[in-house]
Each structure stands twice: as C-alpha cells, then as structure tokens.
C-alpha cells in the first residue's frame, strides 16, 4: 500500500472534519494550516471522486436523527415495561389501584405510540423491536450457554432486515 502524501492526508482530514464535526471550511483551513481555497479544492476533488461532502454530512445527520428517534422510542418502551412491572409487583397497592395505574399507563403508552407511528413509523417500529430483543436476550442469558447466546445474537444479525419489516 502506498504511503499517503500530506495533501492526501489533509484532504481526508478535511472531509472528516466537515462531515463529522460540522466545521466551516474556514475553520478546517485554520485547523490544518492551509488556505480556504485549498479546502475548497479538496472538496471539489472529493466530489469528482464520488465523495460529496454535503451529501455525506446530510446523510450523517439523517442517520443520527433516525438513531436518536429509535433510541427515544426504545427508552420510552423500556420505561413503560419497567413501570408496568413495578405496578404489578407493588404489594402495597390494592388490586383496584393497580388496575387504575395500569389503565393510565396503557393510555399513556397508546397515545405515545400513536404520535410516534404518525411522526416516524420506522423509528418507532425499530425502537420497539430493540427493546423486545433486549428483553428476550436478557431473559435467555440466564438459561443459555455462552455459545447458545452467541448463536442467538448471530441469528438476530442475520435476520435483522426481516425483523425491520415486521408490521406493528
């Protein structure tokens, strides 16, 4: 493998800074000790080579936004499941009080689910799937050997696209 020149290394660094840190071209030029025109040349050359910096930055932002939404829905689903478990296991509450709290919790979950499905159905679905898989893996961890757990995780990775197509 050929050794990178300083210009090639700077071009890679400039692209990375633009995409991942959202630095301006001026700030990147200052950081790398080159002119803004040089950064613009790197950007033009990368675009010719199929690495459009603006597209890369937008894709990263969209991916992060999607992951944040999925995580938000996962956290919410996990919170709801934990709250339900706490209510069921609370011996100080009467059966009527438990029922009322569960109904209230269910209502909140239903409203959040409806909003989430309308706002971003894909992120909501993936968030729920993540929590479900985590709960299943946690439950299986005490029952299965390490080898079996590894096989379960491998299968999940193999079928992740099929899982994402599940309708909720």
């Amino acid at each position: 493998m050929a050794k990178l020149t300083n210009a090639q290394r700077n071009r890679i660094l400039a692209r990375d800074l633009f995409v991942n840190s959202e630095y301006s071209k001026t700030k990147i030029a200052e950081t790398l000790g080159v002119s803004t025109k040089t950064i613009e040349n790197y950007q033009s050359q990368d675009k010719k080579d199929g690495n459009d910096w603006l597209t890369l930055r937008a894709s990263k932002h969209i991916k992060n936004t999607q992951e944040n939404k999925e995580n938000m829905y996962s956290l919410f689903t996990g919170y709801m499941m934990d709250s339900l478990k706490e209510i069921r296991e609370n011996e100080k509450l009467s059966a009527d009080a438990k029922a009322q709290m569960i109904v209230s919790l269910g209502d909140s979950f239903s409203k959040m689910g409806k909003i989430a499905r309308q706002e971003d159905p894909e992120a909501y679905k993936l968030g729920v799937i993540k929590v479900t898989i985590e709960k299943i893996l946690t439950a299986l961890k005490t029952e299965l050997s390490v080898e079996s757990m590894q096989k379960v995780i491998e299968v999940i990775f193999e079928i992740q696209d099929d899982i994402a197509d599940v309708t909720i």
Side-chain angles (χ1 to χ4, degrees), residues 92-122:
K92 295 177 185 175
L93 295 174
S94 69
D96 286 345
K98 286 182 181 182
Q100 193 61 36
M101 292 176 84
I102 290 171
V103 167
S104 177
L105 190 63
D107 186 47
S108 297
F109 187 76
S110 176
K111 287 176 183 172
M112 176 61 178
K114 184 176 180 182
I115 291 167
R117 283 189 300 272
Q118 289 173 349
E119 180 186 305
D120 192 338
E122 198 63 24

Side-chain angles (χ1 to χ4, degrees), residues 131-156:
V131 170
T132 304
I133 289 173
E134 283 176 13
K135 295 286 182 184
I136 291 169
L137 290 177
T138 301
L140 289 175
K141 188 166 58 173
T142 59
E143 303 293 324
L144 299 177
S145 67
V146 173
E147 296 81 22
S148 295
M149 280 298 292
Q150 288 173 336
K151 184 62 180 170
V152 169
I153 292 169
E154 284 174 25
V155 169
I156 289 170

Side-chain angles (χ1 to χ4, degrees), residues 22-71:
E22 298 194 18
Y23 278 17
S24 67
K25 291 177 200 168
T26 304
K27 177 73 173 165
I28 295 169
E30 289 171 10
T31 302
L32 296 179
V34 296
S35 70
T36 303
K37 181 68 177 152
T38 299
I39 299 302
E40 289 170 354
N41 289 341
Y42 292 159
Q43 186 179 17
S44 293
Q45 185 59 49
D46 267 1
K47 189 171 184 176
K48 287 179 193 168
D49 294 345
N51 290 314
D52 181 16
W53 292 10
L54 292 171
T55 302
L56 291 170
R57 181 186 269 183
S59 296
K60 181 169 176 38
H61 176 72
I62 290 166
K63 182 177 184 275
N64 287 343
T65 300
Q66 185 73 7
E67 286 175 0
N68 288 341
K69 284 182 181 178
E70 288 171 22
N71 289 337

Side-chain angles (χ1 to χ4, degrees), residues 68-99:
N68 288 341
K69 284 182 181 178
E70 288 171 22
N71 289 337
M72 179 182 70
Y73 300 138
S74 292
L75 289 172
F76 179 76
T77 304
Y79 166 77
M80 296 300 284
M81 293 171 104
D82 291 343
S83 297
L84 182 59
K85 183 178 178 184
E86 275 181 42
I87 293 168
R88 283 194 325 244
E89 293 175 358
N90 189 332
E91 295 175 7
K92 295 177 185 175
L93 295 174
S94 69
D96 286 345
K98 286 182 181 182

